[in-house]
Amino acid sequence: MPDVLFETQYHPPIAFFAALARADALWLEAHDHYRKQTYRNRCLILTAQGVKPLSVPVIDGNRSEKVLSSLIEIDYRQNWRHQHLHTLQTAYGGTPYFEYYIEYLRDIYQQKPARLFDLNLALLRFYCRCLRLPLPIHLTTHYQPPVTGGGLLPAKELPSSPLDLRDTLSPKHHVLPAGPDRASVPTYGQHFGKDFAPGLSILDLLFMQGPAAGSFLA
C-alpha cells in the first residue's frame, strides 16, 4: 500500500491504525485549518452506558476553525485531564491490560503540551510502539487540497504519492465510505455490551488485547 495522509487525531480510532498497518509511511497534515467535531480533539470509548466521547477543550474554540490545526492550543483552564483519566478508569479499570498502559498515558498527559497537535503526535508515537508499527512519520510542509473523488495526491506535491485519507474517519458516523471500512478490523471481545461496538478508539483494543492488539490490524 502507498503512504497514507491523515490529520492528527486524539486517541485515534482502530480503523486509523488498520490503515497504517498496510502503509509504507504516514504523512500528517500540519497545514490545514482546524475543524470542530472531528477526531482531532475527541475519541470514542465504550462505557457501561454505551459509547461515550471524550473531548479535549481548545482555546478560543469559537474562532478555532480560522487557525491552523498545528497551532491550536489546549485549554488547561478546564480540568479535562483528570476527567478523561477518571472516565478511562471507570470504563476500563477492569480490563486485562488497563494497568499495563495507563501509567504511560498519565506520563504523556503530565507533560502538558501546549498544542493539541503535539499531544496527538505524542499519543500516536506511543501507540505505534505498542502496536509494533515502525513506519516513518512525516509532516506536510504546505497544504494540498484533496483530489476530487479521493485517491492519491500527485507526487509533485509531496515526495511520495500518499493515499489521501484526511477526514475520512468521523466521530459522527464512525466510518465514512471513502475511508477504511468496518470490515478492516476483526471483532474482538469488548468489556461491555452484547453487540460489538465499531469505531472505537485504539484504547479499547489495547486495554482488552494488550500486546496482541497489533494482530487485529493485519
mmCIF file of all heavy atoms in Angstrom, residues 82-113:
data_model
loop_
_atom_site.group_PDB
_atom_site.id
_atom_site.type_symbol
_atom_site.label_atom_id
_atom_site.label_comp_id
_atom_site.label_asym_id
_atom_site.label_seq_id
_atom_site.Cartn_x
_atom_site.Cartn_y
_atom_site.Cartn_z
ATOM 1 N N HIS A 82 -7.904 15.264 34.273
ATOM 2 C CA HIS A 82 -8.417 14.457 35.381
ATOM 3 C C HIS A 82 -9.710 13.758 34.982
ATOM 4 O O HIS A 82 -9.907 12.572 35.294
ATOM 5 C CB HIS A 82 -8.652 15.335 36.601
ATOM 6 C CG HIS A 82 -9.332 14.636 37.739
ATOM 7 N ND1 HIS A 82 -8.671 13.770 38.590
ATOM 8 C CD2 HIS A 82 -10.639 14.648 38.149
ATOM 9 C CE1 HIS A 82 -9.527 13.287 39.470
ATOM 10 N NE2 HIS A 82 -10.721 13.802 39.231
ATOM 11 N N GLN A 83 -10.595 14.477 34.294
ATOM 12 C CA GLN A 83 -11.868 13.895 33.881
ATOM 13 C C GLN A 83 -11.663 12.729 32.924
ATOM 14 O O GLN A 83 -12.315 11.685 33.044
ATOM 15 C CB GLN A 83 -12.741 14.976 33.249
ATOM 16 C CG GLN A 83 -13.171 16.064 34.219
ATOM 17 C CD GLN A 83 -13.819 17.246 33.528
ATOM 18 O OE1 GLN A 83 -13.862 17.317 32.292
ATOM 19 N NE2 GLN A 83 -14.319 18.189 34.316
ATOM 20 N N HIS A 84 -10.750 12.886 31.963
ATOM 21 C CA HIS A 84 -10.520 11.814 30.997
ATOM 22 C C HIS A 84 -9.922 10.586 31.676
ATOM 23 O O HIS A 84 -10.346 9.451 31.415
ATOM 24 C CB HIS A 84 -9.591 12.303 29.883
ATOM 25 C CG HIS A 84 -10.272 13.206 28.908
ATOM 26 N ND1 HIS A 84 -9.810 13.412 27.623
ATOM 27 C CD2 HIS A 84 -11.376 13.980 29.025
ATOM 28 C CE1 HIS A 84 -10.599 14.262 26.992
ATOM 29 N NE2 HIS A 84 -11.549 14.625 27.836
ATOM 30 N N LEU A 85 -8.943 10.797 32.540
ATOM 31 C CA LEU A 85 -8.332 9.664 33.232
ATOM 32 C C LEU A 85 -9.327 8.965 34.156
ATOM 33 O O LEU A 85 -9.341 7.729 34.265
ATOM 34 C CB LEU A 85 -7.110 10.128 34.023
ATOM 35 C CG LEU A 85 -5.882 10.491 33.181
ATOM 36 C CD1 LEU A 85 -4.829 11.171 34.041
ATOM 37 C CD2 LEU A 85 -5.305 9.248 32.508
ATOM 38 N N HIS A 86 -10.171 9.753 34.821
ATOM 39 C CA HIS A 86 -11.197 9.163 35.689
ATOM 40 C C HIS A 86 -12.187 8.346 34.864
ATOM 41 O O HIS A 86 -12.579 7.228 35.275
ATOM 42 C CB HIS A 86 -11.932 10.263 36.450
ATOM 43 C CG HIS A 86 -13.066 9.755 37.295
ATOM 44 N ND1 HIS A 86 -12.868 9.072 38.480
ATOM 45 C CD2 HIS A 86 -14.421 9.812 37.110
ATOM 46 C CE1 HIS A 86 -14.032 8.729 38.989
ATOM 47 N NE2 HIS A 86 -14.999 9.163 38.177
ATOM 48 N N THR A 87 -12.589 8.863 33.715
ATOM 49 C CA THR A 87 -13.530 8.141 32.859
ATOM 50 C C THR A 87 -12.907 6.856 32.335
ATOM 51 O O THR A 87 -13.564 5.809 32.278
ATOM 52 C CB THR A 87 -13.986 9.027 31.684
ATOM 53 O OG1 THR A 87 -14.597 10.208 32.197
ATOM 54 C CG2 THR A 87 -14.992 8.290 30.810
ATOM 55 N N LEU A 88 -11.629 6.921 31.947
ATOM 56 C CA LEU A 88 -10.945 5.708 31.482
ATOM 57 C C LEU A 88 -10.842 4.682 32.603
ATOM 58 O O LEU A 88 -11.026 3.482 32.369
ATOM 59 C CB LEU A 88 -9.557 6.064 30.950
ATOM 60 C CG LEU A 88 -9.512 6.873 29.656
ATOM 61 C CD1 LEU A 88 -8.068 7.196 29.283
ATOM 62 C CD2 LEU A 88 -10.189 6.116 28.514
ATOM 63 N N GLN A 89 -10.581 5.141 33.820
ATOM 64 C CA GLN A 89 -10.515 4.225 34.967
ATOM 65 C C GLN A 89 -11.860 3.535 35.180
ATOM 66 O O GLN A 89 -11.927 2.322 35.400
ATOM 67 C CB GLN A 89 -10.109 4.999 36.228
ATOM 68 C CG GLN A 89 -10.130 4.186 37.512
ATOM 69 C CD GLN A 89 -8.982 3.213 37.609
ATOM 70 O OE1 GLN A 89 -7.828 3.599 37.446
ATOM 71 N NE2 GLN A 89 -9.283 1.949 37.896
ATOM 72 N N THR A 90 -12.935 4.319 35.105
ATOM 73 C CA THR A 90 -14.272 3.769 35.311
ATOM 74 C C THR A 90 -14.646 2.780 34.207
ATOM 75 O O THR A 90 -15.217 1.716 34.471
ATOM 76 C CB THR A 90 -15.309 4.902 35.359
ATOM 77 O OG1 THR A 90 -14.980 5.810 36.428
ATOM 78 C CG2 THR A 90 -16.710 4.354 35.589
ATOM 79 N N ALA A 91 -14.309 3.125 32.963
ATOM 80 C CA ALA A 91 -14.709 2.298 31.826
ATOM 81 C C ALA A 91 -13.832 1.065 31.661
ATOM 82 O O ALA A 91 -14.321 -0.018 31.317
ATOM 83 C CB ALA A 91 -14.676 3.131 30.544
ATOM 84 N N TYR A 92 -12.527 1.218 31.912
ATOM 85 C CA TYR A 92 -11.597 0.150 31.555
ATOM 86 C C TYR A 92 -10.771 -0.391 32.724
ATOM 87 O O TYR A 92 -9.909 -1.246 32.518
ATOM 88 C CB TYR A 92 -10.636 0.646 30.473
ATOM 89 C CG TYR A 92 -11.319 0.947 29.156
ATOM 90 C CD1 TYR A 92 -11.474 2.263 28.709
ATOM 91 C CD2 TYR A 92 -11.809 -0.079 28.357
ATOM 92 C CE1 TYR A 92 -12.092 2.538 27.498
ATOM 93 C CE2 TYR A 92 -12.429 0.181 27.148
ATOM 94 C CZ TYR A 92 -12.573 1.496 26.727
ATOM 95 O OH TYR A 92 -13.193 1.758 25.533
ATOM 96 N N GLY A 93 -11.048 0.078 33.925
ATOM 97 C CA GLY A 93 -10.259 -0.372 35.064
ATOM 98 C C GLY A 93 -10.277 -1.871 35.264
ATOM 99 O O GLY A 93 -9.337 -2.437 35.831
ATOM 100 N N GLY A 94 -11.332 -2.538 34.804
ATOM 101 C CA GLY A 94 -11.437 -3.984 34.965
ATOM 102 C C GLY A 94 -10.957 -4.782 33.775
ATOM 103 O O GLY A 94 -11.093 -6.012 33.764
ATOM 104 N N THR A 95 -10.382 -4.128 32.769
ATOM 105 C CA THR A 95 -9.910 -4.844 31.581
ATOM 106 C C THR A 95 -8.530 -5.454 31.834
ATOM 107 O O THR A 95 -7.800 -5.021 32.731
ATOM 108 C CB THR A 95 -9.841 -3.896 30.362
ATOM 109 O OG1 THR A 95 -8.970 -2.804 30.675
ATOM 110 C CG2 THR A 95 -11.224 -3.372 30.020
ATOM 111 N N PRO A 96 -8.145 -6.452 31.048
ATOM 112 C CA PRO A 96 -6.901 -7.186 31.327
ATOM 113 C C PRO A 96 -5.628 -6.343 31.301
ATOM 114 O O PRO A 96 -4.680 -6.637 32.052
ATOM 115 C CB PRO A 96 -6.866 -8.250 30.219
ATOM 116 C CG PRO A 96 -8.292 -8.428 29.812
ATOM 117 C CD PRO A 96 -8.917 -7.082 29.963
ATOM 118 N N TYR A 97 -5.580 -5.296 30.454
ATOM 119 C CA TYR A 97 -4.315 -4.590 30.268
ATOM 120 C C TYR A 97 -4.381 -3.109 30.641
ATOM 121 O O TYR A 97 -3.502 -2.343 30.269
ATOM 122 C CB TYR A 97 -3.844 -4.740 28.809
ATOM 123 C CG TYR A 97 -3.483 -6.164 28.460
ATOM 124 C CD1 TYR A 97 -4.409 -6.999 27.852
ATOM 125 C CD2 TYR A 97 -2.225 -6.667 28.766
ATOM 126 C CE1 TYR A 97 -4.088 -8.315 27.540
ATOM 127 C CE2 TYR A 97 -1.889 -7.987 28.462
ATOM 128 C CZ TYR A 97 -2.822 -8.796 27.844
ATOM 129 O OH TYR A 97 -2.502 -10.103 27.551
ATOM 130 N N PHE A 98 -5.409 -2.726 31.382
ATOM 131 C CA PHE A 98 -5.533 -1.315 31.757
ATOM 132 C C PHE A 98 -4.317 -0.852 32.540
ATOM 133 O O PHE A 98 -3.703 0.191 32.220
ATOM 134 C CB PHE A 98 -6.805 -1.096 32.578
ATOM 135 C CG PHE A 98 -6.975 0.317 33.057
ATOM 136 C CD1 PHE A 98 -7.454 1.303 32.212
ATOM 137 C CD2 PHE A 98 -6.636 0.677 34.365
ATOM 138 C CE1 PHE A 98 -7.603 2.612 32.644
ATOM 139 C CE2 PHE A 98 -6.784 1.978 34.808
ATOM 140 C CZ PHE A 98 -7.271 2.945 33.946
ATOM 141 N N GLU A 99 -3.947 -1.566 33.579
ATOM 142 C CA GLU A 99 -2.829 -1.148 34.424
ATOM 143 C C GLU A 99 -1.507 -1.147 33.666
ATOM 144 O O GLU A 99 -0.587 -0.404 34.010
ATOM 145 C CB GLU A 99 -2.728 -2.064 35.654
ATOM 146 C CG GLU A 99 -3.915 -1.962 36.597
ATOM 147 C CD GLU A 99 -4.050 -0.568 37.209
ATOM 148 O OE1 GLU A 99 -3.027 0.145 37.287
ATOM 149 O OE2 GLU A 99 -5.165 -0.211 37.610
ATOM 150 N N TYR A 100 -1.417 -1.958 32.640
ATOM 151 C CA TYR A 100 -0.177 -2.040 31.860
ATOM 152 C C TYR A 100 0.084 -0.752 31.076
ATOM 153 O O TYR A 100 1.242 -0.342 30.925
ATOM 154 C CB TYR A 100 -0.276 -3.233 30.903
ATOM 155 C CG TYR A 100 0.983 -3.507 30.120
ATOM 156 C CD1 TYR A 100 2.029 -4.233 30.684
ATOM 157 C CD2 TYR A 100 1.124 -3.050 28.814
ATOM 158 C CE1 TYR A 100 3.188 -4.492 29.968
ATOM 159 C CE2 TYR A 100 2.288 -3.298 28.088
ATOM 160 C CZ TYR A 100 3.310 -4.023 28.672
ATOM 161 O OH TYR A 100 4.463 -4.269 27.962
ATOM 162 N N TYR A 101 -0.988 -0.114 30.592
ATOM 163 C CA TYR A 101 -0.818 1.047 29.714
ATOM 164 C C TYR A 101 -1.122 2.390 30.367
ATOM 165 O O TYR A 101 -0.645 3.429 29.899
ATOM 166 C CB TYR A 101 -1.721 0.897 28.477
ATOM 167 C CG TYR A 101 -1.323 -0.232 27.567
ATOM 168 C CD1 TYR A 101 -2.112 -1.378 27.468
ATOM 169 C CD2 TYR A 101 -0.155 -0.172 26.806
ATOM 170 C CE1 TYR A 101 -1.750 -2.426 26.627
ATOM 171 C CE2 TYR A 101 0.213 -1.209 25.969
ATOM 172 C CZ TYR A 101 -0.589 -2.336 25.884
ATOM 173 O OH TYR A 101 -0.224 -3.365 25.063
ATOM 174 N N ILE A 102 -1.910 2.428 31.412
ATOM 175 C CA ILE A 102 -2.430 3.704 31.895
ATOM 176 C C ILE A 102 -1.331 4.627 32.410
ATOM 177 O O ILE A 102 -1.429 5.860 32.271
ATOM 178 C CB ILE A 102 -3.516 3.477 32.980
ATOM 179 C CG1 ILE A 102 -4.282 4.784 33.242
ATOM 180 C CG2 ILE A 102 -2.911 2.916 34.252
ATOM 181 C CD1 ILE A 102 -5.013 5.320 32.038
ATOM 182 N N GLU A 103 -0.273 4.094 32.991
ATOM 183 C CA GLU A 103 0.789 4.956 33.510
ATOM 184 C C GLU A 103 1.521 5.676 32.384
ATOM 185 O O GLU A 103 1.948 6.826 32.540
ATOM 186 C CB GLU A 103 1.771 4.155 34.361
ATOM 187 C CG GLU A 103 1.187 3.660 35.681
ATOM 188 C CD GLU A 103 0.608 4.797 36.516
ATOM 189 O OE1 GLU A 103 1.236 5.883 36.572
ATOM 190 O OE2 GLU A 103 -0.469 4.604 37.109
ATOM 191 N N TYR A 104 1.669 5.026 31.238
ATOM 192 C CA TYR A 104 2.281 5.684 30.087
ATOM 193 C C TYR A 104 1.420 6.855 29.626
ATOM 194 O O TYR A 104 1.938 7.925 29.261
ATOM 195 C CB TYR A 104 2.459 4.691 28.938
ATOM 196 C CG TYR A 104 3.461 3.602 29.213
ATOM 197 C CD1 TYR A 104 3.037 2.321 29.585
ATOM 198 C CD2 TYR A 104 4.828 3.830 29.092
ATOM 199 C CE1 TYR A 104 3.953 1.311 29.836
ATOM 200 C CE2 TYR A 104 5.754 2.826 29.335
ATOM 201 C CZ TYR A 104 5.311 1.569 29.708
ATOM 202 O OH TYR A 104 6.222 0.567 29.953
ATOM 203 N N LEU A 105 0.107 6.659 29.637
ATOM 204 C CA LEU A 105 -0.804 7.735 29.236
ATOM 205 C C LEU A 105 -0.752 8.876 30.242
ATOM 206 O O LEU A 105 -0.757 10.054 29.853
ATOM 207 C CB LEU A 105 -2.227 7.190 29.111
ATOM 208 C CG LEU A 105 -2.438 6.144 28.014
ATOM 209 C CD1 LEU A 105 -3.862 5.595 28.069
ATOM 210 C CD2 LEU A 105 -2.165 6.746 26.639
ATOM 211 N N ARG A 106 -0.694 8.554 31.524
ATOM 212 C CA ARG A 106 -0.577 9.608 32.545
ATOM 213 C C ARG A 106 0.689 10.437 32.323
ATOM 214 O O ARG A 106 0.671 11.658 32.459
ATOM 215 C CB ARG A 106 -0.570 8.992 33.943
ATOM 216 C CG ARG A 106 -1.930 8.502 34.433
ATOM 217 C CD ARG A 106 -1.915 8.305 35.945
ATOM 218 N NE ARG A 106 -3.205 7.835 36.426
ATOM 219 C CZ ARG A 106 -3.486 6.575 36.712
ATOM 220 N NH1 ARG A 106 -2.548 5.646 36.572
ATOM 221 N NH2 ARG A 106 -4.684 6.216 37.158
ATOM 222 N N ASP A 107 1.768 9.767 31.983
ATOM 223 C CA ASP A 107 3.025 10.479 31.747
ATOM 224 C C ASP A 107 2.892 11.464 30.586
ATOM 225 O O ASP A 107 3.407 12.585 30.646
ATOM 226 C CB ASP A 107 4.150 9.491 31.461
ATOM 227 C CG ASP A 107 4.590 8.720 32.700
ATOM 228 O OD1 ASP A 107 4.253 9.162 33.824
ATOM 229 O OD2 ASP A 107 5.255 7.685 32.542
ATOM 230 N N ILE A 108 2.219 11.063 29.524
ATOM 231 C CA ILE A 108 2.019 11.948 28.376
ATOM 232 C C ILE A 108 1.160 13.141 28.774
ATOM 233 O O ILE A 108 1.459 14.290 28.433
ATOM 234 C CB ILE A 108 1.389 11.173 27.202
ATOM 235 C CG1 ILE A 108 2.382 10.132 26.667
ATOM 236 C CG2 ILE A 108 0.965 12.131 26.083
ATOM 237 C CD1 ILE A 108 1.811 9.223 25.605
ATOM 238 N N TYR A 109 0.099 12.897 29.526
ATOM 239 C CA TYR A 109 -0.760 13.993 29.985
ATOM 240 C C TYR A 109 0.007 14.958 30.881
ATOM 241 O O TYR A 109 -0.177 16.176 30.818
ATOM 242 C CB TYR A 109 -1.965 13.440 30.746
ATOM 243 C CG TYR A 109 -3.064 12.871 29.886
ATOM 244 C CD1 TYR A 109 -3.691 11.675 30.224
ATOM 245 C CD2 TYR A 109 -3.502 13.528 28.741
ATOM 246 C CE1 TYR A 109 -4.713 11.146 29.445
ATOM 247 C CE2 TYR A 109 -4.518 13.004 27.964
ATOM 248 C CZ TYR A 109 -5.119 11.817 28.317
ATOM 249 O OH TYR A 109 -6.131 11.306 27.550
ATOM 250 N N GLN A 110 0.856 14.421 31.726
ATOM 251 C CA GLN A 110 1.578 15.262 32.683
ATOM 252 C C GLN A 110 2.587 16.189 32.004
ATOM 253 O O GLN A 110 2.993 17.199 32.579
ATOM 254 C CB GLN A 110 2.277 14.380 33.722
ATOM 255 C CG GLN A 110 1.318 13.751 34.715
ATOM 256 C CD GLN A 110 1.993 12.756 35.652
ATOM 257 O OE1 GLN A 110 3.196 12.507 35.536
ATOM 258 N NE2 GLN A 110 1.235 12.189 36.577
ATOM 259 N N GLN A 111 2.965 15.873 30.793
ATOM 260 C CA GLN A 111 3.874 16.748 30.051
ATOM 261 C C GLN A 111 3.195 18.057 29.634
ATOM 262 O O GLN A 111 3.873 19.022 29.303
ATOM 263 C CB GLN A 111 4.410 16.020 28.819
ATOM 264 C CG GLN A 111 5.299 14.832 29.156
ATOM 265 C CD GLN A 111 5.634 13.990 27.940
ATOM 266 O OE1 GLN A 111 5.470 14.420 26.800
ATOM 267 N NE2 GLN A 111 6.092 12.766 28.173
ATOM 268 N N LYS A 112 1.866 18.063 29.631
ATOM 269 C CA LYS A 112 1.066 19.252 29.316
ATOM 270 C C LYS A 112 1.538 19.980 28.046
ATOM 271 O O LYS A 112 1.900 21.158 28.091
ATOM 272 C CB LYS A 112 1.056 20.238 30.485
ATOM 273 C CG LYS A 112 0.293 19.768 31.700
ATOM 274 C CD LYS A 112 0.191 20.852 32.761
ATOM 275 C CE LYS A 112 -0.664 22.002 32.307
ATOM 276 N NZ LYS A 112 -0.868 23.011 33.387
ATOM 277 N N PRO A 113 1.563 19.295 26.909
ATOM 278 C CA PRO A 113 1.927 20.002 25.680
ATOM 279 C C PRO A 113 0.957 21.144 25.421
ATOM 280 O O PRO A 113 -0.253 21.006 25.638
ATOM 281 C CB PRO A 113 1.823 18.924 24.600
ATOM 282 C CG PRO A 113 0.964 17.858 25.193
ATOM 283 C CD PRO A 113 1.206 17.885 26.661
#
